[in-house]
Amino acid sequence: QDATCLSVGTDQGYQIFTCEPWAAVHSASDGGVGVLQMLYSSSLIALVGAGARPGDSTRRLRLWNTRTDSSVCELNFSSSILTVRMNNARLLVVLETRIHIFELSSMRLLHTLETVPNRLGLADMCPDSERCHVVLLAAGVGQVLLFDALQLRSLSTLQARKSALALLAISPCGLLIASASDRGTVVNVHSFPQGELLHAFRRGAMAATI
């Protein structure tokens, strides 16, 4: 979120590194981690198991304090958790057909969005807690729903691509949206929330997975 740390989940656990200077600052080996999200460079992290062992459920979200090495909160869901995003105000949990939005300070469920099937877990939320801009799959092919997670309201729908989306990201300030289709030849950048196409970066002519 602030480019100061890198967190990596493995089939054995997870590791956290500082970027400057490069150094390992924390690690754990108590079960596979499939989804890992840090809250900036703080001691709060969100963990989802890799599902390789019975205790590593892909349906359980754990908020963990790395400083005290203790659990803050655990939540179980009806299906596998594909993506987790959080900032100082909100926590976003992405399942294949719905997205849950929580208030981070209390872990109170604020809103649930029903979505089209989203097996890749495509969704993103900006780290800026004063904006809490969210992008997620909309109903139409290649469409993106622009959502305000602070006010809990939809803002607009963007036709980002002509074919199915393969990647979706929002900038740290929450004002730029990057998207790539399943062809992988062009990365488009649109404005948030206007949806104006600002840039189109061509990777090449051959199809590829981004």
Side-chain angles (χ1 to χ4, degrees):
Q1 292 170 323
D2 56 10
T4 59
C5 293
L6 173 69
S7 57
V8 181
T10 71
D11 57 359
Q12 300 297 320
Y14 65 91
Q15 291 182 286
I16 297 174
F17 303 87
T18 56
C19 296
E20 291 185 7
W22 178 260
V25 293
H26 186 79
S27 65
S29 302
D30 53 357
V33 173
V35 178
L36 174 60
Q37 174 76 53
M38 297 180 65
L39 181 63
Y40 297 97
S41 55
S42 74
S43 59
L44 184 65
I45 61 173
L47 301 167
V48 179
R53 299 184 300 186
D56 303 337
S57 174
T58 60
R59 297 187 294 108
R60 185 176 72 219
L61 171 69
R62 290 185 296 155
L63 291 186
W64 194 263
N65 187 319
T66 59
R67 187 187 307 114
T68 60
D69 202 25
S70 61
S71 176
V72 176
C73 177
E74 285 195 11
L75 294 173
N76 291 291
F77 296 88
S78 58
S79 61
S80 293
I81 300 166
L82 304 176
T83 302
V84 176
R85 294 288 183 265
M86 61 179 170
N87 59 33
N88 286 323
R90 298 288 185 261
L91 182 139
L92 200 74
V93 179
V94 182
L95 312 181
E96 185 171 352
T97 58
R98 59 179 56 92
I99 293 177
H100 299 292
I101 301 173
F102 294 85
E103 181 181 54
L104 184 63
S105 60
S106 65
M107 286 307 294
R108 178 169 59 97
L109 179 62
L110 299 175
H111 194 67
T112 297
L113 290 163
E114 300 291 334
T115 68
V116 295
N118 180 15
R119 62 181 181 81
L120 297 177
L122 298 181
D124 202 9
M125 179 172 65
C126 73
D128 186 348
S129 57
E130 294 185 359
R131 288 197 171 106
C132 286
H133 290 169
V134 173
V135 288
L136 59 138
L137 292 187
V141 175
Q143 289 186 342
V144 178
L145 177 64
L146 281 55
F147 191 86
D148 183 343
L150 203 58
Q151 302 299 325
L152 303 175
R153 61 189 180 96
S154 299
L155 299 175
S156 60
T157 300
L158 165 68
Q159 186 68 53
R161 319 293 308 195
K162 293 181 180 179
S163 57
L165 287 159
L167 192 65
L168 191 57
I170 192 166
S171 64
C173 66
L175 299 178
L176 299 173
I177 309 162
S179 64
S181 73
D182 54 6
R183 284 180 49 80
T185 54
V186 176
V187 174
N188 284 346
V189 177
H190 291 82
S191 62
F192 188 115
Q194 299 85 358
E196 178 187 355
L197 179 62
L198 302 176
H199 306 283
F201 300 101
R202 176 165 292 279
R203 183 204 56 79
M206 300 291 290
T209 300
I210 296 180

